[in-house]
Amino acid sequence: MREYCFHCHGDGFSPVTLRTVTKDCLHCTGSGQRKCWKCNGEGMALCKACSGTGQIKCFIRLTIKWTNHLDDHVVEKVAALDDDKIRNVSGEIVCQEEETTLLPLTHFPDTTVSMASAQILQNHASSFPEEKVLKQRHKVSIVPVAAVSYKWKNHDGLFHVYGFEQRVYAPSYPQTCCCCSIL
């Protein structure tokens, strides 16, 4: 492609001329038009993205985020132990179901577990309506808890041993020592 020569204003003559002698414009060689600086007169400019090869590398990134929503319910028979202590130990698994969609537990002997199962499933169905459920799982475990009464130096007390890990909870233990700690 050619474009208007701005040096000679398109007439083809050098702007500095003597009165009797005219010289051709050095920029357009006297034609009044010059090659386009973008395409070098070829009519097409070089693509900056592919450098004229016609092939552009592109990348497609797919991001998938998997989330796992967990809820639990602790049926507490011992008022002295809080739920977090029971959550952090293991027990015997007595019921475990896993399916794409679960129904609430109805066959469990303790009705509070069955009611908690129904409530948790209902909460999950309404809390995450835009998410696709891949699997649901029920797991009921029974955590052993032993309440131990003791008498030491005229002090009556009570402590608990709980979980398969046999953790001890003794908030009113009368003495501390340097070699062990009782929680």
Side-chain angles (χ1 to χ4, degrees):
M1 280 191 96
R2 303 191 68 78
E3 62 182 13
Y4 174 79
C5 179
F6 291 102
H7 295 282
C8 67
H9 304 290
D11 64 4
F13 299 110
S14 178
V16 179
T17 59
L18 299 172
R19 289 184 183 191
T20 57
V21 179
T22 60
K23 293 186 179 180
D24 288 342
C25 175
L26 297 174
H27 296 280
C28 65
T29 61
S31 68
Q33 295 185 339
R34 53 184 263 175
K35 288 182 180 180
C36 172
W37 64 273
K38 290 182 184 177
C39 66
N40 199 24
E42 295 178 11
M44 296 192 319
L46 188 64
C47 173
K48 293 180 183 176
C50 70
S51 300
T53 63
Q55 297 177 352
I56 299 176
K57 289 184 180 179
C58 64
F59 299 92
I60 299 172
R61 182 174 70 188
L62 171 65
T63 303
I64 298 174
K65 182 180 176 187
W66 300 96
T67 55
N68 194 7
H69 302 289
L70 299 173
D71 279 323
D72 68 353
H73 178 76
V74 177
V75 178
E76 200 171 315
K77 302 292 183 185
V78 180
L81 292 175
D82 62 354
D83 292 353
D84 287 334
K85 290 189 179 9
I86 299 298
R87 283 185 183 100
N88 293 322
V89 294
S90 59
E92 180 183 356
I93 298 172
V94 294
C95 176
Q96 186 166 351
E97 296 177 349
E98 183 174 331
E99 292 295 332
T100 304
T101 305
L102 285 177
L103 295 174
L105 294 174
T106 56
H107 59 277
F108 204 76
D110 190 337
T111 58
T112 56
V113 173
S114 297
M115 290 186 327
S117 167
Q119 184 64 42
I120 288 171
L121 287 173
Q122 183 180 9
N123 287 347
H124 274 235
S126 62
S127 296
F128 313 107
E130 309 244 338
E131 296 182 12
K132 178 180 171 132
V133 176
L134 299 177
K135 290 276 185 181
Q136 290 182 324
R137 180 182 310 127
H138 268 138
K139 182 168 80 172
V140 179
S141 56
I142 297 177
V143 177
V145 177
V148 181
S149 298
Y150 66 91
K151 183 172 186 157
W152 186 73
K153 292 185 179 181
N154 293 331
H155 177 69
D156 291 332
L158 180 71
F159 68 90
H160 295 88
V161 180
Y162 60 100
F164 284 169
E165 295 84 355
Q166 296 182 346
R167 295 212 179 140
V168 176
Y169 178 67
S172 60
Y173 190 72
Q175 183 177 354
T176 58
C177 64
C178 62
C179 61
C180 65
S181 63
I182 297 178
L183 303 173

